[in-house]
Amino acid sequence: SFINPPSVVFSLIMFAIASPAIYFGIKLVSRWDLIINAILIITVIALLVWGAGLIKIDNLKTINLSKMITPYGAIFYSLIGIAALPEIKRIFSNSNEKQYKKAIIIGTIIPAIVYLIFMLIVIGLNGGKTPQEAIFGLTNYLGRGTIFIGSIFGFLMILSSFFSLGIALKQTYV
């Protein structure tokens, strides 16, 4: 039988895995974060390719712009990288101000595009029947394997955020 440990166990595992990277600094974290974000982008592209033939354009018409703020938790979560801005500013202190601004713009646009594509995939498949847990909406069309992919996706998103907040917290204490 499957053992279902309390969520604090998973939090401690995450802490044990990610904290050493934060301890060793931004260079190690940035390498890990680059890999994580590449995996996230590849995952979204794979979901798009996998579900492309099943997406119905009519389903996209169910998007209600007056409820765009409804997923405020996900929107705020997507902005969690803002905590890393002071560290990024420190890294760019010896270089051009334009490079710093460019890094912020690109670092904001890429996640926004990835989230938008994921959202369009889910809504394109489910339309008005999109469940609150978006990944479950994919299982009806792409199979139960999407739960595993979604779990990996979620874990990597949390790990990436842990890195950003961890580096910011470390700098605060320093």
Side-chain angles (χ1 to χ4, degrees):
S1 95
F2 182 73
I3 299 172
N4 192 6
S7 61
V8 72
V9 172
F10 294 110
S11 297
L12 291 172
I13 291 170
M14 170 74 86
F15 180 80
I17 291 170
S19 294
I22 293 168
Y23 175 78
F24 288 110
I26 190 75
K27 288 184 181 181
L28 180 62
V29 167
S30 64
R31 285 189 205 119
W32 275 98
D33 218 25
L34 179 64
I35 293 167
I36 288 168
N37 287 304
I39 292 169
L40 290 173
I41 291 169
I42 290 167
T43 302
V44 169
I45 291 170
L47 287 172
L48 179 61
V49 170
W50 196 5
L54 302 171
I55 293 173
K56 296 180 182 135
I57 301 301
D58 286 343
N59 285 345
L60 297 175
K61 294 177 185 175
T62 64
I63 296 174
N64 185 346
L65 295 179
S66 68
K67 294 185 178 183
M68 284 300 274
I69 196 69
T70 301
Y72 61 87
I75 292 168
F76 289 137
Y77 180 79
S78 71
L79 297 173
I80 205 162
I82 203 164
L85 287 180
E87 184 65 15
I88 293 169
K89 178 70 172 168
R90 189 183 65 76
I91 291 169
F92 281 98
S93 65
N94 297 331
S95 61
N96 192 330
E97 183 77 18
K98 286 183 181 181
Q99 288 179 323
Y100 174 65
K101 289 179 182 179
K102 185 178 176 182
I104 292 172
I105 291 168
I106 291 171
T108 303
I109 290 174
I110 291 174
I113 291 170
V114 172
Y115 279 112
L116 178 65
I117 292 170
F118 180 74
M119 178 190 76
L120 292 174
I121 293 167
V122 173
I123 294 172
L125 291 171
N126 293 285
K129 298 177 183 173
T130 300
Q132 188 171 357
E133 295 84 12
I135 201 68
F136 290 118
L138 297 176
T139 60
N140 296 333
Y141 300 93
L142 305 179
R144 296 200 49 83
T146 54
I147 292 177
F148 177 74
I149 292 170
S151 298
I152 299 285
F153 187 85
F155 172 76
L156 292 175
M157 287 174 44
I158 291 169
L159 185 62
S160 180
S161 297
F162 186 94
F163 285 153
S164 295
L165 292 173
I167 289 292
L169 184 63
K170 178 181 173 186
Q171 289 304 317
T172 299
Y173 288 132
V174 168

